[in-house]
Amino acid sequence: MNNAKFYETIFKRKSVRKYDMAPLDEKTLEDVKKFIDDIKPLLPEVNTEFQVISQDDVKSFMSIKAPHYVVVFSENKEGYLTNIGYMLQQLDLYLSSKGLGACWQGIAKPAKDIINKSNLEFVIMLAFGKPAENLHRSDKSEFKRNSMESIRDKGDFDELLEVVRIAPSATNSQPWYFNIEGNSLHVDCIKLNPIKALIMERMNKVDMGIALCHLDIACQKSEKKFKFSLKEPSNYNAPKGYYNIGLVEIE
Ligand SMILES: Cc1cc2nc3c(=O)[nH]c(=O)nc-3n(C[C@H](O)[C@H](O)[C@H](O)COP(=O)(O)O)c2cc1C
């Protein structure tokens, strides 16, 4: 991860929904694939698979039109959706830093034969290509996000959490909350009513991984150690309306 470049990119990236439909050149696609091979997992024990496919392999009318997509599969293990969010956000930032557009695709699916060929569970796709609209935000004020006060209980880590606050999330839902105790951040996710949860619970767990990716990049930038664990001390209770997904220790 080229951290300095990614840190800068976080402050200007946006979802790109209009693409030049001409395929990217071979060299650029090879570079994307090489980057994918080097993506750092949050949970190394979970098996994952990333495939680059083209528009012809996406049959879903729910997707935006782009020349390429990355399709992500994973073993279904504890924390796997959050692990995918953490991993694929690295690619989102890489593409944006290289002048390419990207957009997470929470509903679209690849063609059935692509899903059937993998032994792992299909999780999500990311559309990408040469942008046919502005690639970046021109000003940070263009981020429509919740206030810092609404995503944490204490101000001790605001510089790091600002990087999380502006992270992308499905339908811009920003489901994260950080409960701070010394150098530990309890990472909590919003609880949804059963109807909303049918679609959004999965997406929100991916969103939590995106938030952790941004937090990790912010920690590296300020030369702090980021350590994530899925298991919380048993005496921790998430605030009302939230459930816990893990713990970050910052040193
Ligand atoms: C897990 C996830 C799923 C998403 N699914 C879609 C989608 O299906 N279609 C779409 O147009 N945007 C999708 N998005 C993009 C979000 O709407 C977008 O990130 C959010 O509104 C914030 O805007 P920004 O990315 O421009 O900062 C998704 C984002 C995430 C993180």
Side-chain angles (χ1 to χ4, degrees):
M1 238 197 310
N2 178 349
N3 183 59
K5 193 82 200 254
F6 285 3
Y7 184 83
E8 275 171 38
T9 304
I10 285 174
F11 291 92
K12 52 187 184 186
R13 65 147 298 287
K14 68 174 185 66
S15 295
V16 169
R17 296 189 174 87
K18 289 206 178 78
Y19 292 90
D20 175 343
M21 288 306 290
L24 294 171
D25 62 77
E26 280 298 311
K27 162 86 173 73
T28 306
L29 276 178
E30 271 317 303
D31 287 348
V32 170
K33 288 176 190 166
K34 266 191 219 143
F35 181 82
I36 288 174
D37 288 340
D38 286 342
I39 289 179
K40 185 174 98 172
L42 180 68
L43 305 171
E45 67 278 13
V46 183
N47 261 335
T48 57
E49 186 187 326
F50 290 65
Q51 269 184 45
V52 177
I53 62 167
S54 64
Q55 169 73 46
D56 302 339
D57 296 320
V58 177
K59 299 287 178 248
S60 168
F61 65 94
M62 303 297 281
S63 76
I64 52 161
K65 290 231 170 315
H68 308 282
Y69 302 79
V70 176
V71 190
V72 183
F73 301 89
S74 175
E75 207 178 352
N76 183 331
K77 268 192 181 166
E78 195 185 351
Y80 77 110
L81 297 170
T82 300
N83 184 49
I84 293 302
Y86 177 92
M87 292 179 80
L88 197 56
Q89 183 57 11
Q90 293 168 51
L91 184 63
D92 177 81
L93 294 173
Y94 167 83
L95 293 165
S96 187
S97 76
K98 293 285 177 191
L100 296 171
C103 187
W104 285 82
Q105 295 292 281
I107 304 172
K109 286 185 176 163
K112 278 215 171 70
D113 57 324
I114 292 189
I115 294 186
N116 294 341
K117 249 188 251 160
S118 177
N119 296 325
L120 304 176
E121 179 182 309
F122 164 68
V123 178
I124 203 157
M125 301 203 296
L126 184 80
F128 73 98
K130 198 168 151 217
E133 64 176 45
N134 285 343
L135 173 67
H136 290 142
R137 289 177 159 93
S138 51
D139 193 86
K140 199 173 156 236
S141 65
E142 291 173 24
F143 281 97
K144 303 279 173 273
R145 299 292 193 265
N146 296 333
S147 68
M148 177 60 77
E149 290 69 32
S150 66
I151 65 161
R152 50 79 172 147
D153 65 339
K154 290 191 201 90
D156 309 14
F157 290 103
D158 278 4
E159 212 179 306
L160 301 176
L161 289 180
E162 178 61 8
V163 179
V164 174
R165 192 183 71 82
I166 60 176
S169 53
T171 65
N172 205 20
S173 54
Q174 307 161 68
W176 38 73
Y177 189 82
F178 299 86
N179 221 322
I180 299 168
E181 239 183 282
N183 282 342
S184 296
L185 281 73
H186 302 283
V187 184
D188 301 328
C189 181
I190 201 153
K191 268 188 200 158
L192 301 170
N193 69 48
I195 306 273
K196 245 185 152 180
L198 279 178
I199 308 174
M200 286 300 289
E201 191 174 298
R202 246 177 105 79
M203 287 303 113
N204 280 171
K205 286 177 177 167
V206 174
D207 296 335
M208 296 306 291
I210 297 174
L212 290 171
C213 170
H214 279 210
L215 182 57
D216 191 356
I217 290 170
C219 285
Q220 287 174 49
K221 161 84 176 160
S222 42
E223 296 183 358
K224 290 183 159 68
K225 259 205 196 130
F226 164 101
K227 192 173 151 239
F228 176 74
S229 39
L230 276 173
K231 293 273 177 283
E232 272 285 345
S234 53
N235 60 358
Y236 176 70
N237 285 317
K240 194 166 181 291
Y242 289 85
Y243 62 93
N244 180 262
I245 65 127
L247 183 77
V248 171
E249 288 159 279
I250 294 176
E251 281 163 26

